[in-house]
Amino acid sequence: CAHCKHVVVRTDRGLQSAGRVADVVFSDSSLAPGDHGAFQGRSFEVHGRLVLQHPAGGTWEEYYTVFDGRYPGWIAEAQGRWYVMQEVMASVPPLAQLPPGTAVPIGAYGQFVVRERNQGTFLSAEGELPFAAQPGTLRLFVDLDAATGACASIDFAEGGSPRVYIGVETTFDQLAVVARGGPRPEQRVG
């Protein structure tokens, strides 16, 4: 909720507060719910934003996005790099079998190599998301690269099946953001 800063989970039985979250800090290139753009000929709108913390201390952001008005996907920014990802249906090995350097075939999408196996902690969220992002929750993930330039990410949610995402690395300029949704806080430098 933008007003009270609580994560509100909507279920088939009503609404439930999952706790208060910190304000999301903006950078010059941050996306936010309501932003519109186009990537590789497809329009998109940002619906939600997550901030996660890496165990080494850094943070990254993930933006829940709807492409062409109906296809959900994600745009992520980590260490100054931008990624556009779409969920695909593919079977993958269990997390324990995916240490860095492991070759992993992902269905018709080809051969990938594990770059990182780690966890992120949900710090903050805003907008609409397809799952409950309760602050402090851990998310186990594996990031992979392919020789073709494609990238992949596998999320291992507790109690659920792994979710596989395939995409590409891009730049903020290539996202062609044409409309910024909502005001950005002013940053004053003394």
Side-chain angles (χ1 to χ4, degrees):
C1 173
H3 179 70
C4 69
K5 303 296 183 200
H6 275 77
V7 172
V8 179
V9 179
R10 180 177 48 186
T11 67
D12 62 341
R13 295 181 182 205
L15 300 174
Q16 175 185 0
S17 176
R20 190 177 169 104
V21 295
D23 286 336
V24 179
V25 178
F26 284 96
S27 69
D28 289 342
S29 61
S30 291
L31 294 173
D35 285 358
H36 293 264
F39 180 72
Q40 296 182 346
R42 299 177 66 199
S43 66
F44 68 83
E45 180 181 359
V46 177
H47 284 235
R49 179 179 181 202
L50 290 170
V51 179
L52 295 104
Q53 184 166 32
H54 193 277
T59 61
W60 77 94
E61 298 180 15
E62 296 183 2
Y63 306 92
Y64 178 61
T65 308
V66 175
F67 289 88
D68 297 330
R70 61 181 176 200
Y71 302 108
W74 290 88
I75 297 174
E77 188 274 326
Q79 298 178 335
R81 294 186 172 114
W82 289 88
Y83 304 90
V84 177
M85 312 287 280
Q86 298 269 208
E87 186 171 7
V88 299
M89 300 307 292
S91 59
V92 292
L95 180 64
Q97 295 178 15
L98 297 171
T102 302
V104 180
I106 301 181
Y109 302 96
Q111 189 82 1
F112 290 78
V113 175
V114 175
R115 176 176 20 108
E116 179 180 17
R117 180 180 75 183
N118 222 318
Q119 66 185 24
T121 304
F122 292 128
L123 292 182
S124 189
E126 67 174 334
E128 293 183 26
L129 297 168
F131 54 83
Q134 187 168 345
T137 301
L138 292 179
R139 185 186 96 198
L140 302 172
F141 68 89
V142 174
D143 286 340
L144 309 96
D145 293 315
T148 61
C151 56
S153 187
I154 307 169
D155 287 350
F156 291 88
E158 194 172 309
S161 298
R163 298 181 84 116
V164 181
Y165 301 88
I166 303 288
V168 295
E169 183 175 341
T170 189
T171 66
F172 184 77
D173 289 341
Q174 290 174 325
L175 294 175
V177 177
V178 294
R180 303 293 275 199
R184 298 300 200 271
E186 248 183 67
Q187 305 256 341
R188 295 187 181 198
V189 178

